[in-house]
Structures are given as C-alpha cells and as structure tokens.
Amino acid sequence: MAVTGAVLVLFLVGHMLGNLKIFLGADSFNHYADWLRTVGSPALPDRTLLTITEIALVLAVALHMWAAVSLARRAAKARPVKYAAKRKSQASGYATHTMRWGGVIIVLFVIWHLLDMTFGTVNPGGGDATPYDRMIAGFQPGRWWVGLFYLVAMVMVGLHLRHGLWSAFQSLGLTRRPRVRNALRVGAAVVSAVLVIGFVAAPVCIMIGVVK
Amino acid sequence: MNLTLKIWRQSGSSDKGRMVTYRVEDVSPDMSFLEMLDVLNERLILEGDDPVAFDHDCREGICGMCGMVINGVAHGEQRATTTCQLHMRHFEDGAVITIEPWRAAPFPVIKDLVVDRSSFDRIIQAGGFVSVPAGSAPDAHAMPVPKEDADAAFDAATCIGCGACVAACPNGSASLFTAAKITHLGLLPQGQPERDSRARAMVEQMDAEGFGGCTNTGECTAVCPKGIPFDTIAQMNADYLRSASS
Ligand code: HEM
Ligand code: SF4
Ligand code: FES
C-alpha cells in the first residue's frame, strides 16, 4: 500500500507541476506535452518515458487496489458478527473514513479524465486538438459540471493523500516520537493541500476566463 | 435513575444469540456500570432467570478483565476509563443503553458478554517475554535508561490486555495491544536480545490468529482505557521491518 501509494504520489507531483505550465501559454504547454513524447530522442524511441510511466502507473494502481481489497476482506473476516449499535467513531479524522469510497471515486475520475485529456473522446476539442486546446475546451464555463467534477475529485485526492501519506509514514515506522510524528502529520497535510491547489488552479482559471 | 438496557444474550458458543431488553429501576448515579448490572442480575436471579454473564475481577481499572461495547463504544464514551470505572452519572435518567460483547473472530463469545481472549495470550507466548533473569527490582542507577525511552516504555507497559482496541477497530486489528507489548519490552535494555525475533514472532502470531490488518484509523488509541499511544504501532512496524531486513 505504502510503496504503490508513493509511486502514485510522485506521479501526482510531476503531473501537477506539468499542468502549471498552462499559465506560461499555449506554446510552452504544447512544447512540454511534445517533450514528454520525445524525451531522450533520438537515442530512445518516441514515448519511452510515457510508456514507462504508464506501465508503472497501471501496475501501481492495480496493486494499490489489490492491497485495499485484501485489507477490506481481512477486516470482514475478523468481524463476522456486526455490532447492533452503530459503532461510534471516537477518533477524529474525516479523511480516514473516506479512504475506500474516496478511492473508488478517484478511479472513476481517472477513467473520465483519460477519456477527456488523453484520448479526447469526451473532450469538445476531440483527440486531434493540441493538448492546450483540449484543456481550454474541456473547462469552458458552459461545461461547468466537468470543472465541478474535477474540483470534487481533487478534494477527494487531497483527503486520500492526507490520510494516505500519514498512514504510509506510520506503516514504515517513522512516527515513533511525538515531535517527528507531529512534523510528518503536518507535512502530509501540507503536501496534500499544495497538490490540490496546484491541480485545481488550471481548471478554475480557465473557467473564470483568466487563461484562454 | 431508571434505565432500559438492550443486552446481548447468548447461552453458549453454539447459540446464535440475540438482543434482549431489560428495565432497571432505582439505579444510583454513584454506581459503577458493573454495579448497575449487578442490580439487574440480582433481580434476574430472584425471578429465577439466568443472570447476564460478564467478565470482571479487580473493578478498579487495572486487571483488564472487564469490557463491553456500550452504545457502540468499547468501554463506553467516557475516555480513558474501563467499564468497571465508568459511573452511571455519565448517563441520563431514562436512557436506553445497548450492551454488546467485543466482536472479533479471534475473540469468540463464551457466554453473553464474556469473550475468550486466549488469542492475546498466544501473542504474548510468541514473544512477549525477556530471557535474561530479571530478578527483583534493580537499584535505580544500576542500569541507566534514557529518560525518553523509559517514559515511552512505561506508557506502553500500562496496557492491561483488555481488548478494547480490537473491539473498536473497524478492521478488527490487534495492532495496538501487540505494539504496546513490543514497545514496552523493546525499548528497555533487558528486552534487547530478543528485540527483532520478538517483533517478528508476535506480529506473525497476531496475523495467524485472524485479526484484521491495521489501516491507521486511530480508533484503538481513542478507546484504550490506558491511552496507549498510537506511536507504539510505528515502533512495532519499525522493529518488524528491521527484523525482516536482517
Ligand atoms: C484538475 C486536475 C488535473 C488536470 C487539469 C489534469 C490534466 C491532464 C492533462 C492535460 C493530461 C494529458 C497530458 C498530455 O496529453 O500530454 C493528463 C493526463 C493524465 N492524468 Fe491528469 N490532470 C489532473 C489531475 C489528475 C489526477 C488527480 C490524476 C490521478 C489520480 C491524473 C491522472 C492522469 C493520467 C493517468 C494521465 C495520462 C498519462 C498518460 O497518458 O501517460 N490527473 N492530465
Ligand atoms: S492497548 Fe489499550 S485497549 Fe488494547 S488491550 Fe491494551 S489497554 Fe486494552
Ligand atoms: S474489572 Fe479489572 S479492569 Fe475492570
């Protein structure tokens, strides 16, 4: 869980930084998207980096989900008889309760997102538009519901990471002393918040017309 | 006070069990939760009924025998309190109180609210000991222990093995209990020889007993009557990883 999660977090950081290039204009963004496909060229064939990333991501997502499903199955086996009274949560932590369903929402989002930005299937610009035009077309004010879905999904990602990052530190045994634990807890929250803000910046600015 | 109790009744391990509703009247707010159940049981005995079975011993919060899930919370909503130390003044007159046993496959119900916690004993047997002759209490300055370690070991050592952590965990994990023992012994000089093998053996036994996996929800610490810190689970994970990589 922690290892596959770490791969996904690293991808998200790179992806978020890449998205911010939209603020540098169409040429810069398209050039970056092109570079992703041709990096290492001519020594390496086109799409080397992309293909490696894609394989790593598919593996990471699959193993991450497998780990989540096995944990849930173990939990169900460990408590065959349920409580009659609703078990009242005593620990504070909204993010913790959203991990399983939040994860499902994120997967649905990723599917939509690939159809939208990568294949252009559900994008008004279509698959032939440049990456920049696809992004602008995708988040037009008239398509506010797409933007809203992105926003909601990103908040889910933020919650997921907030508990996920902290949980990974705990599973790796890094949170043994109160001072380190508190620092890592704050760190997990800050990284999650920065990622969410970085991701929603582009869609929001396109929707309100700051980026055209 | 007058109360309505909904209590889990199960005559034995082969019985399916059910919730049964009882009324108890004239409960004093100064009674403990167990004394309130004693009042009910005395009446049941007089009426020729089977009294409600529940575990208890010291009734002063130190033995770890008592424990029941009260209104969906292990040991009730009062923080850092065992069921025997929970007082009726925390409930309102006329309240409806649901009382259930710990629910976990490795804690099978023996009768009513009594569960079999031998799985905890087997986790201890797997590694919760030191092999050096510890003898009587040594002189305080004979074996220096850093203050930070001494404090953390002491905090972990207060675990009374009640099982509330398992009962409260949405995954039915025994991580807090196991981690408390591993931390308590592993931070002190006497516990060093078996430190790695202990962590591995106890974690493997915990998994073999059928407890669930920890997802760091923190529900265990929140209900633990001794406030065993969540950090002990990180200590257990660190020792386990160290033993796995050596
Ligand atoms: C509002 C936030 C986001 C925006 C604006 C955004 C935008 C984009 C764009 C424009 C592309 C296509 C890049 C190209 O064609 O070169 C893309 C690809 C992708 N995005 Fe996002 N993205 C966001 C959030 C996310 C999140 C949270 C995830 C994962 C949880 C994600 C996963 C992916 C994946 C897997 C690809 C495909 C990578 C590939 O084809 O190699 N995105 N995104
Ligand atoms: S860790 Fe706390 S809740 Fe768990 S057995 Fe020990 S004292 Fe009871
Ligand atoms: S009866 Fe001993 S702790 Fe409650």
Side-chain angles (χ1 to χ4, degrees):
Chain A
M1 203 102 236
V3 176
T4 53
V7 171
L8 295 171
V9 171
L10 287 181
F11 163 73
L12 285 184
V13 172
H15 188 21
M16 187 271 280
L17 292 176
N19 283 356
L20 291 180
K21 284 204 166 254
I22 197 91
F23 293 106
L24 301 179
D27 289 344
S28 170
F29 190 73
N30 288 337
H31 182 245
Y32 163 70
D34 191 50
W35 172 81
L36 283 180
R37 283 162 184 75
T38 55
V39 60
S41 174
L44 298 170
D46 274 3
R47 292 189 54 84
T48 305
L49 177 72
L50 272 190
T51 311
I52 293 174
T53 312
E54 282 163 5
I55 293 173
L57 285 178
V58 167
L59 274 180
V61 169
L63 290 174
H64 199 73
M65 286 169 68
W66 172 80
V69 170
S70 352
L71 275 168
R73 288 179 55 176
R74 264 182 79 185
K77 251 178 81 184
R79 178 157 303 133
V81 185
K82 304 275 169 272
Y83 288 112
K86 201 173 146 24
R87 198 181 50 78
K88 263 189 238 152
S89 172
Q90 297 297 297
S92 50
Y94 177 69
T96 314
H97 303 294
T98 63
M99 292 309 276
R100 284 177 191 155
W101 285 111
V104 172
I105 294 179
I106 294 171
V107 166
L108 293 178
F109 162 78
V110 170
I111 294 173
W112 168 272
H113 178 54
L114 289 178
L115 292 176
D116 185 9
M117 296 295 173
T118 305
F119 306 113
T121 326
V122 294
N123 188 288
D128 299 332
T130 64
Y132 186 85
D133 290 342
R134 242 179 286 155
M135 190 116 150
I136 300 292
F139 294 122
Q140 282 309 301
R143 281 164 57 87
W144 58 269
W145 44 276
V146 174
L148 188 67
F149 180 39
Y150 270 77
L151 292 191
V152 172
M154 285 314 108
V155 171
M156 292 312 304
V157 169
L159 289 173
H160 203 80
L161 288 189
R162 189 175 172 228
H163 178 73
L165 278 171
W166 146 253
S167 192
F169 296 144
Q170 173 86 358
S171 298
L172 297 175
L174 304 177
T175 47
R176 278 167 285 170
R177 288 284 188 257
R179 211 172 316 132
V180 184
R181 183 228 305 143
N182 290 338
L184 288 177
R185 178 160 271 190
V186 172
V190 169
V191 170
S192 315
V194 168
L195 271 173
V196 172
I197 294 170
F199 269 124
V200 301
V204 166
C205 287
I206 296 171
M207 275 197 285
I208 60 176
V210 177
V211 175
K212 298 199 181 73
Chain B
M1 317 168 62
N2 298 325
L3 302 164
T4 305
L5 306 178
K6 295 186 171 173
I7 306 182
W8 180 259
R9 300 303 308 261
Q10 180 174 343
S11 61
S13 50
S14 52
D15 180 18
K16 277 197 62 161
R18 74 220 70 88
M19 298 299 287
V20 180
T21 306
Y22 298 95
R23 297 265 311 152
V24 256
E25 270 141 34
D26 290 330
V27 171
S28 153
D30 294 332
M31 282 180 182
S32 74
F33 201 83
L34 298 188
E35 285 169 327
M36 182 275 293
L37 288 178
D38 290 338
V39 170
L40 168 70
N41 276 346
E42 277 166 17
R43 199 193 78 210
L44 290 181
I45 292 168
L46 284 179
E47 290 170 356
D49 275 345
D50 198 18
V52 178
F54 59 86
D55 252 339
H56 62 108
D57 189 17
C58 69
R59 296 209 177 195
E60 55 182 10
I62 55 171
C63 73
M65 280 307 281
C66 67
M68 38 195 95
V69 173
I70 302 166
N71 287 336
V73 182
H75 288 305
E77 270 185 85
Q78 193 69 17
R79 291 260 161 154
T81 308
T82 54
T83 304
C84 59
Q85 289 291 293
L86 175 64
H87 286 85
M88 296 316 293
R89 54 178 166 270
H90 299 299
F91 294 85
E92 280 178 23
D93 190 21
V96 180
I97 307 175
T98 324
I99 310 174
E100 298 170 82
W102 293 166
R103 292 289 187 207
F107 285 170
V109 173
I110 298 174
K111 188 173 185 209
D112 299 336
L113 304 171
V114 180
V115 299
D116 179 357
R117 286 172 293 153
S118 321
S119 47
F120 268 14
D121 297 340
R122 289 187 292 270
I123 294 177
I124 295 288
Q125 281 161 9
F129 49 80
V130 293
S131 59
V132 294
S136 56
D139 283 340
H141 60 304
M143 194 182 288
V145 182
K147 171 98 171 94
E148 219 187 22
D149 288 350
D151 286 349
F154 242 90
D155 285 348
T158 57
C159 167
I160 53 178
C162 64
C165 43
V166 175
C169 177
N171 299 305
S173 165
S175 287
L176 194 65
F177 164 77
T178 311
K181 304 302 171 195
I182 288 176
T183 305
H184 155 206
L185 298 172
L187 287 183
L188 294 176
Q190 295 89 337
Q192 295 314 307
E194 294 92 5
R195 184 165 175 182
D196 288 356
S197 58
R198 171 185 309 117
R200 191 185 320 191
M202 291 181 80
V203 168
E204 281 168 6
Q205 188 62 35
M206 166 177 86
D207 289 344
E209 294 291 343
F211 290 103
C214 175
T215 60
N216 303 317
T217 65
E219 298 290 344
C220 50
T221 313
V223 300
C224 173
K226 299 296 151 184
I228 297 297
F230 204 45
D231 310 3
T232 56
I233 298 185
Q235 183 70 52
M236 167 174 80
N237 291 335
D239 282 6
Y240 181 78
L241 289 176
R242 209 176 68 157
S243 80
S245 62
S246 66

